[in-house]
């Protein structure tokens, strides 16, 4: 139900962002998440518990749309990828901390109520910190609140660059206001270049889930036990290590995404993931054929660890970073919400189908399927995803115009310029 809530939150989050701004969208997500956590902690029965999970999911869905866009719009182009990737680090780092915190609460009376209720604390902290932070300067320009936008930009850029940025955004925002009118979801599919951009953005989000990261994080204790480790305590300990590796890999991704580039990082990540899934699958097949040999179980665990090490720096942050920068201003909220919705829907599909598929074809067979999907994802990135490292939002939009309408829009020089960062 949390994932269902996230789907609804992501679908509506784009509209909330466009109408009320990135700051108010974040504040609203914090309020919903806090209320949901309190409902969970106080739930008298399973039905109230399910409702609380739905509320928490709504908050997560809105935040998943808002945070990457807010960060991207407030960042200089040359470090935009690193800063958006930091958001992914906060997610993976938060997952690791949640393992530690929940482990501590196992020794406290009313364990699960504390585990679920304490989730309100970071939302409350973010709410009060967010009050002190400014609105996105690009959104302010779009709403003709130039003085406020200039004040924000002055905190980001030095004087020389500030003047150029203000002049540029002033001209650009006037064009956006004329084009914007009332952007609806159907408009995404009416515009050829936006349709192509969403195909790339939504495809990346789908492949992020279909290559198995949710399975690795949700079911790592189950995978470890199915691979031959019968101890619950050992399975949870190894899962804690897996979560830590996921966070550590994201730190590496923060550095690489603005140095190696989004496309190269994603291709390397997927290549390594294919190899890792092959090792994991082989380990599971061997463990299922001979459960008495502990070596086979360790092969599976090594495959799982390798998968996280390759996935986390690349396919972890790249889909969110690319989706925060490939859409024009007037479509950024709507398309960002739609692509995040794709991600959450695919996450539900994976989490609901994995155990059934593993029952049907075996755990090893399940990872063979994920490996095959990762191969398809590799070719998707190779043929469809452009490099956006170091490019401004407007330079990225020219890529889609050229793809949609031919060589009238020459982006080669822009790509070469982006590679210099």
């Amino acid at each position: 139900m949390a994932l269902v809530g996230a789907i609804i939150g992501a679908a509506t989050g784009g509209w909330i962002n466009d109408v009320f701004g990135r700051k108010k969208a974040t504040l609203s997500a914090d309020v919903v998440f806090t209320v949901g956590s309190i409902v969970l902690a106080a739930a008298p029965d399973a039905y109230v518990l399910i409702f609380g999970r739905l509320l928490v999911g709504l908050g997560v869905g809105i935040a998943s749309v808002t945070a990457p866009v807010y960060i991207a719009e407030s960042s200089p182009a040359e470090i935009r990828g690193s800063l958006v990737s930091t958001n992914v680090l906060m997610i993976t780092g938060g997952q690791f901390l949640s393992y530690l915190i929940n482990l501590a609460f196992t020794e406290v009376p009313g364990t699960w109520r504390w585990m679920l209720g304490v989730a309100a604390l970071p939302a409350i902290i973010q709410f009060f910190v967010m009050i002190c932070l400014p609105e996105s300067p690009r959104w302010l320009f779009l709403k003709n609140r130039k003085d406020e936008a200039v004040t924000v930009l002055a905190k980001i850029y030095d004087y020389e660059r500030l003047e150029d940025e203000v002049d540029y955004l002033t001209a650009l925002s006037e064009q956006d206001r004329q084009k914007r009118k009332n952007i609806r979801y159907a408009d995404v599919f009416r515009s050829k270049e936006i349709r192509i951009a969403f195909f790339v953005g939504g495809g990346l989000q789908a492949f992020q889930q279909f290559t198995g990261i949710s399975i690795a994080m949700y079911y790592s204790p189950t995978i470890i036990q199915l691979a031959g480790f019968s101890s619950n305590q050992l399975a949870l300990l190894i899962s804690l290590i897996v979560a830590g590796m996921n966070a550590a890999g994201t730190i590496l991704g923060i550095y690489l995404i603005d140095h190696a580039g989004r496309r190269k990082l994603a291709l390397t990540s997927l290549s390594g993931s294919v190899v890792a899934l092959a090792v994991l699958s082989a380990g599971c097949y061997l463990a299922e054929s001979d459960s008495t040999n502990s070596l086979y179980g360790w092969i599976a665990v090594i495959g799982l660890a390798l998968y996280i090490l390759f996935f986390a720096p690349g396919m972890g942050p790249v889909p969110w970073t690319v989706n925060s920068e490939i859409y024009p201003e007037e479509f950024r909220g709507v398309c960002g919400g739609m692509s995040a919705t794709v991600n959450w829907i695919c996450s539900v599909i994976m989490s609901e189908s994995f155990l059934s598929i593993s029952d049907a074809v075996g755990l090893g067979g399940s990872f063979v399927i994920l490996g095959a999907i990762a191969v398809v994802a590799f070719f998707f990135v190779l043929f469809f995803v452009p490099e956006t490292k170091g490019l401004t939002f407007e330079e990225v939009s020219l890529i889609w115009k050229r793809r949609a309408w031919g060589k009238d829009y020459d982006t080669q020089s822009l790509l070469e310029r982006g590679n210099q960062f």
Side-chain angles (χ1 to χ4, degrees), residues 21-71:
R22 309 348 180 182
K23 180 175 180 176
K24 289 181 179 178
T26 303
L27 293 172
S28 66
D30 291 333
V31 170
V32 173
F33 196 94
T34 301
V35 172
S37 297
I38 294 171
V39 169
L40 288 171
D45 54 50
Y47 297 105
V48 176
L49 194 72
I50 290 170
F51 177 66
R53 292 296 287 168
L54 180 68
L55 288 177
V56 165
L58 284 171
V60 170
I62 296 171
S64 71
V65 177
T66 309
V69 171
Y70 178 73
I71 295 169

Side-chain angles (χ1 to χ4, degrees), residues 161-179:
R161 188 167 175 181
L162 172 65
E163 192 172 8
D164 293 338
E165 194 75 16
V166 170
D167 290 342
Y168 181 67
L169 288 178
T170 300
L172 192 66
S173 62
E174 183 58 37
Q175 297 174 21
D176 285 340
R177 277 195 298 274
Q178 292 174 2
K179 289 188 291 183

Side-chain angles (χ1 to χ4, degrees), residues 201-214:
L204 279 173
Q205 294 285 29
F207 280 121
Q208 184 190 63
Q209 292 300 326
F210 285 149
T211 49
I213 187 59
S214 290

Side-chain angles (χ1 to χ4, degrees), residues 1 5 13 29 57 82 114 128 164 196 235 249 255 265 267 291 304 342 348 357:
M1 287 307 296
S82 298
W114 283 105
F128 287 104
D164 293 338
I196 295 171
Y255 171 79
L265 187 57
L267 291 171
S291 59
L304 179 61
V342 170
V348 170
I357 293 173

Side-chain angles (χ1 to χ4, degrees), residues 317-380:
V318 166
W320 295 105
T321 301
V322 169
N323 271 280
S324 72
E325 60 191 6
I326 61 173
Y327 307 116
E329 179 69 37
E330 67 270 22
F331 284 94
R332 195 165 297 138
V334 169
C335 288
M338 289 172 64
S339 66
T341 303
V342 170
N343 187 291
W344 290 113
I345 290 173
C346 294
S347 180
V348 170
I349 293 171
M350 292 299 292
S351 61
E352 289 298 310
S353 63
F354 177 73
L355 291 180
S356 299
I357 293 173
S358 64
D359 285 341
V361 300
L363 195 58
S366 300
F367 290 117
V368 168
I369 294 172
L370 293 180
I373 295 173
V375 171
V376 176
F378 177 90
F379 286 104
F380 174 84

Side-chain angles (χ1 to χ4, degrees), residues 20 38 77 86 102 144 170 222 271 284 330 389 406 415 421:
F20 300 105
I38 294 171
T86 302
N102 289 346
N144 204 26
T170 300
T222 305
S271 300
C284 291
E330 67 270 22
K389 181 187 73 169
L415 291 172
F421 286 96

